[in-house]
Amino acid sequence: MNNQFATRLKQAMDLRGIKASELSEKAKIPKSAISQYLSGLYEAKQKSIFKLANVLDVSEGWLMGLDVPMERNTDDMLKEIGAIPLSETDTVKIPILGTVKAGYNYLAQENIIDYISFKVDGSDKENYYGLYVTGDSMEPLFDEGDTVIVHRQDDFENGDYCVVLINGDEATVKQVYKGDNGIMLKANNPYYPPRIFTKEEIRDLPVKVIGVVEKSIRNFKKK
């Protein structure tokens, strides 16, 4: 895949008439890294791919070697990562939580570190909250520093991206599947193996779903 990425990066640079030094400056990526990308020795990580695609005005998927159009479609890109164009929903003021732990009302004022105005579906706006994504377990869908907009609920459909509270510690965002014997938490990043919890572990640890991710905001300026 590195060769495909290198080929498409060269193609986009030629098409836009941009040199490696200019691309490095505009994308805020070291020129040495650009050289490695072009040589096929190294493939950019997701955050760098977004920067490169933005400067070159091409689709991230196309740049990664996928069989998709080269043209960049912002609305389609946002929907692909779970975000919804603002014109489609109603604006509400959503609290951004610092930590989420068991044993107390995590939407209480003392746990709110910020607010964000965002357009969300549904009339129960008091049940929406935001969380900053930490770590790389959900890349490339959710990048570190992104904000996920969550609807507070404990029921979910298999394959939903949920906020899960494990053993009373801070919440984690994972894709969740339930079965007769327990649940599985699946990361998007293949370096992180799935975590499976039995019914007994769900009860005793405990493991609790406390919300379903409905939207995401890609924060290029990280928190």
Side-chain angles (χ1 to χ4, degrees), residues 8-220:
R8 292 197 171 178
L9 180 59
K10 291 175 186 175
Q11 183 180 344
M13 290 172 63
D14 290 342
L15 183 65
R16 306 304 182 204
I18 187 170
K19 302 294 185 183
S21 56
E22 184 181 359
L23 181 60
S24 170
E25 181 180 354
K26 289 184 175 181
K28 307 300 182 186
I29 296 174
K31 188 176 178 181
S32 59
I34 301 291
S35 298
Q36 288 183 313
Y37 301 158
L38 291 170
S39 68
L41 295 176
Y42 183 75
E43 184 174 332
K45 293 183 178 179
Q46 189 67 33
K47 61 183 69 176
S48 295
I49 288 175
F50 271 98
K51 292 178 182 179
L52 293 168
N54 185 54
V55 172
L56 295 168
D57 194 25
V58 296
S59 161
E60 287 82 359
W62 177 86
L63 191 59
M64 292 171 66
L66 302 179
D67 186 19
V68 296
M70 182 180 72
E71 292 75 17
R72 184 179 181 83
N73 186 319
T74 303
D75 282 349
D76 287 348
M77 179 191 71
L78 290 174
K79 289 181 179 180
E80 180 66 24
I81 64 172
I84 302 296
L86 299 184
S87 60
E88 296 184 8
T89 49
D90 296 325
T91 302
V92 295
K93 191 176 181 182
I94 299 173
I96 303 293
L97 306 183
T99 59
V100 177
K101 294 189 177 183
Y104 60 87
N105 180 10
Y106 52 88
L107 287 179
Q109 184 65 40
E110 59 266 26
N111 301 319
I112 298 172
I113 61 173
D114 202 356
Y115 285 89
I116 182 172
S117 294
F118 201 75
K119 295 191 175 185
V120 298
D121 303 310
S123 57
D124 57 337
K125 62 181 182 180
E126 68 278 1
N127 285 320
Y128 284 92
Y129 61 92
L131 283 175
Y132 294 135
V133 175
T134 58
D136 61 355
S137 67
M138 295 306 290
E139 291 183 354
L141 185 66
F142 305 131
D143 203 359
E144 182 166 16
D146 289 353
T147 304
V148 289
I149 306 301
V150 183
H151 184 262
R152 179 166 57 170
Q153 60 188 76
D154 57 13
D155 61 313
F156 63 95
E157 299 292 332
N158 276 338
D160 280 349
Y161 291 94
C162 300
V163 178
V164 185
L165 199 59
I166 303 173
N167 198 28
D169 292 329
E170 294 186 12
T172 181
V173 178
K174 294 290 183 289
Q175 192 171 24
V176 183
Y177 295 87
K178 54 188 172 183
D180 293 336
N181 298 318
I183 64 172
M184 177 179 72
L185 310 185
K186 181 178 179 294
N188 270 53
N189 189 330
Y191 288 105
Y192 293 85
R195 298 183 67 182
I196 298 173
F197 296 93
T198 65
K199 285 185 175 181
E200 290 74 20
E201 289 173 323
I202 293 171
R203 181 193 64 225
D204 296 338
L205 283 175
V207 179
K208 184 179 181 182
V209 170
I210 60 172
V212 173
V213 176
E214 291 197 0
K215 302 170 179 66
S216 67
I217 305 170
R218 178 124 290 167
N219 293 325
F220 290 99

